[in-house]
Amino acid sequence: MSNRTINVDDRLYGYLLDVSLREPGVLARLRAETLKLPQAGMQISPEQGQFMALLVKLTGARSILEIGTFTGYSALAMALVLPAGGRLVACDVSDEWTALARRYWREAGVEGRIELRLAPALETMRALLGEGAGGSFDLVFIDADKGNYGAYYEVALELLRPGGLLLADNVLWDGRVADPANDEESTRAIRAFNAALHDDARIDLSLVPIGDGLTLARKR
Ligand code: CA
C-alpha cells in the first residue's frame, strides 16, 4: 500500500486492462487502424476513453466540445454514450485524419451527433461564442497543439456552463514537465498551463495520472 499514486508498470497495466476495459468493437477497430499511422501516439489510451465516457455519463453531459479530434477515438467514445438529442462539436484542421474519424462515426451510427468543424479551433470557439453558445457546453475536451492550451482554456471557460467540466490531455507530457533539463516549447507551454490552473480560483481541480495525464477542471 502507498500514500502516493501507484507506479503502473507494463505487467500491472496489462492487468488493469484485463479487469476493467470494456472497449466496444468499433472503438477497438478504429484504434487498431490509427495505430498504423506515424502519428499514432496522439491517440488517447483505451482506458482513458472509457474513463471519459464514464465522465460524460456521470455529469449527464449533453453538449460536448472537443478541441483536437485526430482520427476520432475520443469523440466516438463520448458520442457513443451521449443521451438522445446530445451533440458533440469536434474541432480539427486535418481533413485526412478526420476522414478516418468520420468513417468510424458512421459505422457506429453516431455521425448525426457529431458536428465536425474543420478550422483552427480558436476560430471555431470564437464562432460558437458569436452563435450564442457561451455558457452552454457541459463538457470541453482539450487535446490539440500544446502552445495554444492557455488560449483554448480561456475561451473554453466562456463556453462552459457553471458546473461544466473541462478536460485537458497530456498534462504530464510523458514526464517531461517534471524534467528540469527539458526546455522544449511544448513542455514549457504545458508547465505554464498546469501552473495557471493550479492558481485559478474559477475552477475546482484534479490532475488524474491516466494516459499521459488528464486534468479535470470544474467551472465554478
Ligand atoms: Ca493527447
Side-chain angles (χ1 to χ4, degrees), residues 59-138:
T59 58
R62 304 175 54 85
S63 181
I64 299 174
L65 175 64
E66 176 174 87
I67 312 301
T69 290
F70 188 40
T71 60
Y73 188 95
S74 49
L76 180 53
M78 293 189 285
L80 279 169
V81 299
L82 272 175
R87 72 157 186 163
L88 186 152
V89 178
C91 303
D92 207 285
V93 290
S94 169
D95 193 28
E96 181 191 344
W97 291 338
T98 54
L100 180 59
R102 285 198 309 271
R103 183 147 60 80
Y104 282 90
W105 296 343
R106 214 163 29 242
E107 180 186 329
V110 300
E111 58 182 324
R113 299 178 200 171
I114 303 177
E115 181 189 333
L116 176 65
R117 298 209 189 183
L118 279 180
L122 278 172
E123 284 178 21
T124 297
M125 295 171 87
R126 288 184 185 125
L128 286 166
L129 283 174
E131 294 161 21
S136 74
F137 281 90
D138 301 310

Side-chain angles (χ1 to χ4, degrees), residues 41-44 48 141-144 146 149 169-170 173 212:
M42 283 166 55
Q43 179 166 244
I44 64 165
Q48 180 178 336
F141 176 47
I142 299 176
D143 187 14
K146 308 313 166 194
Y149 262 38
D169 197 35
N170 302 106
W173 207 223
D212 194 28

